[in-house]
Amino acid sequence: MTATLMDGRPLAARIRADVAREVAVLGRLGLATILVGDDPASDVYIRAKHRASTEVGIEPRDLRLPEATSEAELLRTVFELNADDEIDGILVQLPLPNGIDETKVIRAVDPMKDVDGFHPLNAGQLYLGQPAHVPGTPLGILALLEEYEVELTGAEAVVVGRSDIVGKPVAHLLLQRHATVTICHSRTRDLAAAVARADVLVAAVGVPGVIKSEMVKRGATVIDVGITRTGDGLRGDVVVETVDRAGLITPVPGGVGPMTVAMLLRNTVRAARFRRGLLAFPGR
Ligand code: NAP
């Protein structure tokens, strides 16, 4: 048996086209990004986000601050963007340089403009099952599962990784869709036993090949979030041979990655709706 590939590209393109139509109706939308320092990987991500924004008619504002920026200066920039009426969404590219408290910066972003969904208010709303802004990667994963009509009600879902950006939020979304959710992490005693139970497996670890083919239940749906740059190119968390065992599997690259950016754009439209009073903002 060879798994069906869950291609994120056509779905992401459809979502971007929907966003472009919505932007045309809403009028001018602004997305501000802040990059502190000159990390090359972050620069690539920021450029991709700007390109995608421009394509759908969202105006990006590219704020680049030097590596030596103090926490106070960064916070001031965030507060200015919070008060700027031309800005609907704010994204602070992580990781921030040493010496800047990420938690403090994330808390400073106006929750209504927090298109990354990292602010504690947004994280809390997700926990309560009343999502306001939800991080793009978990949203993208759920959209892919829906696109490929994966049954979630009653399914055994296993999430490997418990980050605030992917693991925890995707686990909450799966729980809200009535899956029975297990979250694994670096201290999980028997990862193989947990993974073997999964009808739906989400691997968000960042360790290439940590999920071996023989760990995966035959016919399972496998979402590989991991992206690691290696000498042999980009690698996911799941060994490629799993394609002969899974029912559905995301390719790396081309699976979850394109969905993340599409969902960021969708979140920016959502932020604009919240700000214009077209949609009630949960939690306020
Ligand atoms: P992270 O913050 O580093 O979290 C990694 C998680 O994996 C942690 O919870 C860690 O456990 C767990 N872990 C580490 N080694 C493990 C092991 N051997 N067995 C089981 N669990 C283990 O990473 P992240 O931000 O969630 O990102 C995860 C991966 O997804 C990365 O490769 C990242 O590049 C990728 N990613 C892709 C996209 C996309 O758009 N495709 C978006 C975001 C992230 P502890 O909590 O115990 O340390």
Side-chain angles (χ1 to χ4, degrees), residues 28 75 113 200 214 234:
R28 210 202 143 276
L75 289 172
K113 295 189 178 186
V200 176
E214 60 275 17
L234 292 181

Side-chain angles (χ1 to χ4, degrees), residues 137 160-163 166 185-186 191 204-207 210 225-227 256-257 260:
T137 305
V160 189
R162 56 174 165 180
S163 73
V166 190
H185 45 78
S186 66
L191 182 65
V205 182
V207 177
V210 67
V225 187
I227 313 176
V256 176
T260 297

